[in-house]
Amino acid sequence: MVLGGTWWFWPRQRPDIYKSYVAIYQELQQRRDIAEDYANWTAFVTRAKTQLAATVPWLEDKAKPGDREKSLLLYAGRDLQELLELPRTSKSPHQQRLDTFFEQLQEVYGSN
């Protein structure tokens, strides 16, 4: 019983990754909606790709079947990587799926 309670209240393992992905996703949506110069867009994409390159391989190694949290982060990270490869004005073919990942991650992490 103690182990179950400890597991339940144990902090999420990677809220830093979640926060980073949310920030990338929100900034991506904002930057797509405004006309800005190419240099700012390129700087954002470079920064976001660097952040994703630092976390996606870790998630690929650590996400196991049944680990919903890491699996959702991994799927969201991969979709963000794909989205950053598209031209700024392109729409993602997986936009609805990505929205769903972030909705589910919000459930896991709450208002963090």
Side-chain angles (χ1 to χ4, degrees):
M1 182 127 172
V2 171
L3 287 175
T6 302
W7 177 83
W8 182 258
F9 292 107
W10 194 261
R12 296 293 175 203
Q13 293 181 356
R14 296 310 301 247
D16 55 325
I17 294 176
Y18 168 70
K19 289 177 183 178
S20 173
Y21 286 9
V22 167
I24 291 170
Y25 188 53
Q26 289 174 343
E27 189 171 351
L28 179 66
Q29 290 176 322
Q30 290 170 352
R31 288 186 180 276
R32 285 194 159 182
D33 293 339
I34 59 173
E36 66 178 308
D37 65 287
Y38 182 75
N40 285 336
W41 173 253
T42 303
F44 161 70
V45 169
T46 300
R47 182 174 33 87
K49 283 182 178 182
T50 300
Q51 290 175 343
L52 291 166
T55 55
V56 169
W58 183 86
L59 288 166
E60 289 173 337
D61 184 52
K62 301 296 182 190
K64 305 291 183 224
D67 187 344
R68 181 174 181 244
E69 174 191 355
K70 287 188 194 84
S71 295
L72 286 169
L73 287 169
L74 176 59
Y75 301 148
R78 286 178 175 167
D79 278 5
L80 285 170
Q81 284 178 319
E82 181 182 307
L83 200 54
L84 291 168
E85 294 297 326
L86 297 174
R88 181 178 71 180
T89 57
S90 297
K91 293 292 182 189
S92 170
H94 306 297
Q95 185 66 47
Q96 185 175 3
R97 180 175 73 184
L98 191 56
D99 291 340
T100 301
F101 291 152
F102 278 101
E103 287 172 10
Q104 292 178 13
L105 284 165
Q106 175 65 29
E107 291 173 11
V108 170
Y109 285 97
S111 61
N112 290 341

